[in-house]
Amino acid sequence: MTAEQNQFRLLPSIEELLQSEHGQQLVVRFSRVLTLKALRTGLVRARAAMHDGASCPPASSLLCAAEEQLEREQQPRLRPLINATGVIVNTNLGRAPLSEEALLAVQRVSSSYSNLEYDLELGERGSRYTHVTNLLCELLGAEAALVANNAASAVLLSLSVLALGREVIISRAELVEIGGGFRVPDVMRQSGCHLVEVGTTNRTRISDYQTALSERTALLLSVHQSNFRIIGFTESTSIGALAELAHEHGLLVMHDLGSGCLLDTEHFGLAHEPTPQESIAAGADIVCFSGDKLLGGPQAGIIVGKAQVIARLAKHPLMRAVRIDKMTLAALEATLRHYQRGEAETHIPIWRMIATRPEEIASRASSWVAELQTRGVVASIQQGASTVGGGSLPGETLPTMLVALDAAHVPYSLQELARRLRLRKTPIITRVLRDTLLLDPRTVFEEQDREVVQALVEEVTMGTDNNLTARN
Ligand SMILES: *Cc1c(COP(=O)(O)O)cnc(C)c1O
């Protein structure tokens, strides 16, 4: 028998591995089926390595490799990460993180039975929408409210119900694409109404709408440009003027606001972001906006407006197809309560981030840098800009302090460092700008500060493939 054959005979059997103490622990944690599969993979790999001249691995390392593989595979695919980009509302990163109260509400309502569609007073069937409609009406000054799965479905529903087979007049400046395939002209087509474009890219006057009116017109639609801005020689028509014209002719005005910002953004040093309260006060019959953009709540499509109009939507069969679920409703109610109690700025994460003062960010950035220096990572502080995102306030920024790592002080490329940070168990998303990797503390929760510093130390100073449990 050759030495090589001897080596193969030393390799433990799958049964031995499975029956070992460690093997049995894996069975308890991950099931027998998955443990067997991982051990088999490990043995195949070990045999291949031995054919290439490696020596027989001890049972303990085969078991540890299996454990690592199982942990990696059992890690949720959808998982939390640390947003160090400085973009506060980012659709790719899950938009608005929920407040603690909203999370608790989700947990309480979904781990038990609830009065989702049950009227406790009458002891009979109730409506799921009543849990938030009064709050919405109170906060926004609207007659009635309704909620759908998201703003896209709110718009689709509204147009389908209110303008099917009829004409909808919209300014050429508002035929926008929001991203993720939401293009206003396509949504209008899909909802079965006929789009009538008026005005030009930069200027649309009330007379343009007036000229386009016909007996086929159902409504005048205004869409918030959201993620871009036209500057220079521009003119647009106010909701108030549209409402006046529409109502003179017995028509409706709908405002798709997108971000749905309830607070005054000017108070935070930003440009004015139109609010649903303003649209309602100006006479809009129906206003739609997202729950998870600047409202800072869960994914939802909020619809507020005139009672008669909302009633038509509520009883339409499409409403059932786009209805909101109980977890979302719970989170939405809790989020709206923050506004009701006047504590949005301190309790809703995205507003807390928007409201964070530059001095506060500077102080956190300094302590990151100091801690990094003592642990052997060279970093510096740079002035920079955070953005609100979420299809709102394009071009507007909040002054911030960035922690910067220079390419010269990183043992491999910054792209590689950014990649390693992304592939950690808790991924960290950063920005690379030319020769620096930038991290904005504004969008990092304070309790994540240590994790960020630790990750940078590990990835920069240890250099080798460590902490790669998430990589696959
Ligand atoms: C974001 C946005 C939407 C879509 O909202 P979702 O909640 O993502 O469905 C629709 N209209 C406008 C103007 C938007 O900005």
Side-chain angles (χ1 to χ4, degrees), residues 27 52 95 132 155 199 216 227 245 319 352 375 415 456:
V27 168
D52 291 340
R95 292 201 182 159
V132 290
V155 172
R216 293 175 304 276
N227 48 14
L245 177 65
M319 189 63 229
R352 215 165 44 220
R375 299 177 63 186
Q415 297 303 338
L456 288 169

Side-chain angles (χ1 to χ4, degrees), residues 91 95 149-155 176 178 182 184 223-227 256-259 288-293 299-301 390-392:
T91 300
R95 292 201 182 159
N149 181 51
N150 59 5
S153 61
V155 172
V176 303
I178 306 304
F182 186 92
V184 169
V223 177
H224 184 30
Q225 285 168 341
S226 299
N227 48 14
D256 173 12
L257 257 179
S259 76
C288 303
F289 59 94
S290 285
D292 54 355
K293 291 182 180 171
Q299 177 187 306
S392 64

Side-chain angles (χ1 to χ4, degrees), residues 257 259-265 273-277 289 294-295 351:
L257 257 179
S259 76
C261 176
L262 269 55
L263 300 183
D264 178 8
T265 45
E273 176 73 11
T275 68
Q277 300 93 299
F289 59 94
L294 288 187
L295 189 75
W351 283 103

